[in-house]
């Protein structure tokens, strides 16, 4: 009888346990497979009223937005219909844990997708947030192959809003990427110049009258394809705007006329909220801002993007912030707001310093690091050709992807000598044109001990032009890093490390290196694979501004045959 009573008393507890087990399994079962089929091809489009050949996905640029929830598996079946051109697509901000071969970086994690070939990317989106995708072959990103990834949270977020909207910012050139690449690789050197337009979610407005020789069949401002983007809002409601930048060159300031923006997310991580009128955003970054439609509802307002950090010659990007029920095409009665001065570094640096991890969502970094690598960013000449270099080495991709070469033990596919981990900081003057303007070209990589803490110090310097230092947004594949600090001038290993933010640093995957300054990062080498780390400015990467990290390669699983078939893996099977 005693045993029976004990069993009966245990029934409620057992029921509760069963309930939570079922609930837990149900929660796990919620993860879905999101399947996309993409046809990538060239088409004539007029994003800024100027007709040119662009790369589209299913006829669109920007491409389709990938929508998922954290934990979902995303499958993208790509068909390369570019006819004469290879292809690779990078999933920017997705860490590819367990799937390093689907990072989509030609020469690093895969062979390119050949013309006419299919390719299937499959990966898990393990965290909520706002991310990007774009071409990672040559300079194709600047030809229109880019889009947004939105990953919804399964848990309540620490802020509320009524509606969720997206905006991708871009700059736009009328020259083809082929022409640009040829100029960068020529003697005499031909720089790509400033972009002709700024696009707001794929729409801009080039002034055709500035080129009177253009026929209306080439440039036509009445083309509906280039009518300004409209984002309609309901008075009194609060909107989350997910804003991403995929510019080829430009750093931008984004603003909504007469409205404050509260920054709440950066690169998939919650930010201790702060208010801005101008959001400074660099290529590869994403932000979520909250905007309340609390202004005069009888009119519309401008949304604008403007170039900063470079002498501004490109006209602003314009879109309409439409208060319902005003007509969406009704122009605001005011002139677009005045942008910040292009050469004023202070507010840009202030925003960088203001971005902290949100209380309740802080993951503190390790207090010390196992290894410190300093990267000096300089402009150099090699055999008469202009290059960008890191520690006097200009990066060049091998024909066999690093991941394939390392996993298949192909030792002659790239230079086995590790590149330099620093520079002569004692004698190098970052404020002057370097006396030694000659660099070397190389494809060696940094081998990181698995599961260790690595510090990277990005050090900016003068270019080959007097009194000139450029802003560089650096992006790390496969990881998020803690941003420990920013500073002006030359990094001081003894004193600047004392001021690192170890309490609430934001985690990001892309970070600006400001003019004549430094940026300090810390990350864990805990994701087996081979990962690119590079400037996200297309011409700068093309000219050699990048490095590659390897970590835990022995822990990487069997490579799919689909990523092979080029360089010294030509004999390997690929479908």
């Amino acid at each position: 009888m005693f045993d029976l009573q004990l069993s009966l008393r245990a029934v409620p507890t057992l029921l509760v346990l069963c309930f939570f087990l079922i609930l837990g399994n149900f929660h796990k079962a919620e993860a879905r497979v999101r399947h996309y089929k993409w046809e990538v091809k060239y088409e004539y489009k007029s994003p800024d009223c100027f007709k040119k050949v662009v790369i589209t996905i299913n006829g669109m640029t920007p491409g389709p937005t990938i929508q998922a929830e954290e934990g979902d598996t995303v499958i993208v079946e790509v068909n390369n219909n570019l006819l004469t051109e290879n292809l690779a697509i990078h999933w920017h901000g997705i860490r590819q844990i367990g799937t390093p071969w689907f990072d989509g970086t030609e020469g690093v994690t895969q062979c390119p997708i050949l013309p006419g070939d299919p390719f299937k990317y499959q990966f898990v989106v393990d965290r909520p947030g706002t991310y990007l995708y774009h071409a990672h072959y040559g300079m194709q990103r600047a030809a229109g192959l880019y889009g947004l990834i939105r990953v919804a949270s399964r848990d309540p977020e620490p802020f509320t809003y009524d509606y969720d909207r997206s905006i991708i910012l871009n700059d736009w050139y009328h020259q083809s990427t082929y022409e640009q690449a040829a100029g960068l690789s020529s003697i005499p050197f031909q720089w790509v110049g400033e972009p002709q337009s700024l696009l707001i979610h794929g729409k801009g407005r080039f002034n055709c009258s500035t080129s009177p020789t253009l026929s209306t069949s080439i440039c036509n401002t009445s083309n509906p394809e280039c009518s300004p983007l409209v984002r309609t809002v309901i008075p009194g409601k609060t909107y989350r705007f997910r804003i991403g930048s995929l510019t080829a060159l430009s750093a931008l300031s984004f603003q909504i006329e007469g409205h404050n923006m509260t920054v709440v997310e950066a690169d998939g991580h919650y930010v201790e909220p702060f208010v801005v009128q101008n959001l400074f955003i660099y290529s590869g970054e994403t932000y979520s801002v909250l905007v309340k439609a609390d202004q005069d509802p009888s009119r519309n307002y401008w949304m604008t993007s403007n170039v900063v950090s470079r002498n501004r010659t490109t006209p602003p990007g314009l879109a309409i912030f439409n208060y319902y029920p005003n007509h969406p095409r009704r122009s605001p009665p005011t002139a677009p707001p005045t942008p910040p001065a292009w050469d004023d570094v202070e507010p840009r640096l202030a925003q960088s310093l203001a971005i902290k991890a949100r209380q309740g969502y802080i993951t503190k970094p390790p207090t010390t690091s196992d290894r410190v690598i300093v990267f000096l960013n300089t402009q150099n000449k090699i055999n008469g050709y202009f290059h960008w270099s890191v520690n006097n080495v200009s990066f060049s991709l091998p024909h066999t992807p690093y991941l394939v070469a390392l996993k298949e033990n192909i030792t002659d596919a790239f230079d086995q000598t590790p590149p330099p981990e620093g520079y002569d900081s004692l004698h190098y003057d970052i404020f002057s044109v370097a006396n030694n303007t000659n660099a070397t070209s190389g494809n060696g990589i940094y081998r990181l001990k698995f599961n260790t803490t690595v510090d990277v110090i990005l050090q900016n310097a003068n270019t080959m032009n007097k009194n000139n230092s450029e802003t560089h947004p650096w992006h790390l594949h496969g990881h998020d890093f803690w941003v420990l600090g920013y500073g002006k001038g030359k990094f001081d290993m003894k004193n600047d490390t004392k001021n690192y933010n170890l309490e609430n640093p934001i985690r990001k995957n892309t970070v600006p290196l400001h003019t004549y300054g430094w940026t300090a990062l810390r990350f864990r080498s805990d994701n087996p694979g081979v990962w690119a780390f590079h400037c996200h400015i297309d011409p700068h990467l093309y000219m050699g501004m990048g490095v590659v990290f390897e970590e835990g390669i022995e822990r990487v699983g069997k490579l799919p045959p689909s990523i092979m078939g080029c360089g010294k893996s030509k004999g390997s099977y690929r479908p």
Side-chain angles (χ1 to χ4, degrees), residues 176-366:
S176 72
T177 52
Y178 286 117
E179 293 170 293
Q180 290 182 326
L184 297 175
S185 306
S186 295
I187 297 177
F189 176 71
Q190 295 181 50
W191 176 236
V192 299
E194 299 303 307
Q196 278 67 60
S197 301
L198 297 180
L199 306 184
I200 298 183
H201 216 74
K203 290 176 176 290
R205 182 63 63 91
F206 177 69
N207 185 356
C208 299
S209 64
T210 59
S211 302
T213 57
L214 292 175
S215 69
T216 54
S217 63
I218 298 296
C219 197
N220 185 354
T221 53
S222 63
N223 187 337
E225 202 177 331
C226 59
S227 58
L229 175 80
V230 175
R231 286 286 182 258
T232 300
V233 297
I234 299 170
K237 299 295 184 182
T238 298
Y239 289 79
R240 176 186 189 167
F241 279 91
R242 299 173 187 260
I243 303 170
S245 172
L246 280 171
T247 52
L249 175 68
S250 311
L252 297 176
S253 164
F254 175 79
Q255 57 193 123
I256 303 174
E257 181 191 7
H259 293 73
N260 287 335
M261 295 179 281
T262 303
V263 181
V264 293
E265 179 219 347
D267 289 1
H269 293 278
Y270 297 132
V271 169
E272 188 64 23
F274 65 97
V275 177
V276 296
Q277 281 78 44
N278 293 282
L279 177 71
F280 297 106
I281 185 166
Y282 306 89
S283 181
E285 287 191 314
T286 64
Y287 288 99
S288 284
V289 299
L290 300 183
V291 181
K292 187 167 185 180
D294 58 1
Q295 297 301 301
D296 177 2
S298 67
R299 53 162 291 192
N300 291 336
Y301 297 82
W302 291 112
M303 294 191 289
T304 64
S305 64
N306 279 278
V307 173
V308 291
S309 188
R310 300 184 67 85
N311 194 348
R312 185 185 297 135
T313 59
T314 309
L318 297 175
I320 295 176
F321 196 67
N322 165 231
Y323 268 72
Y324 181 83
N326 296 309
H327 194 283
R329 300 293 175 204
R330 182 176 163 198
S331 287
T334 47
T338 302
W342 70 267
D343 56 352
D344 188 355
V345 180
E346 292 305 320
R348 302 201 301 273
L349 183 60
Q351 178 183 298
S352 293
L353 292 168
I355 303 173
K356 312 292 186 188
R358 187 169 185 133
Q359 293 297 316
Y361 296 86
I362 297 170
T363 305
K364 289 190 178 183

Side-chain angles (χ1 to χ4, degrees), residues 7 77 127 134 147 153 197 242 245 254 292 336 343 346 367 375 379 383 386 435 450 469 489 503 507 522:
S7 299
E77 292 186 54
R127 294 165 309 145
H134 57 81
S153 175
S197 301
R242 299 173 187 260
S245 172
F254 175 79
K292 187 167 185 180
D343 56 352
E346 292 305 320
T367 53
F375 288 142
Q379 208 174 43
N383 299 323
F386 279 81
N435 291 326
F450 185 69
S469 178
E503 292 302 311
R507 297 182 77 188
R522 179 169 291 174

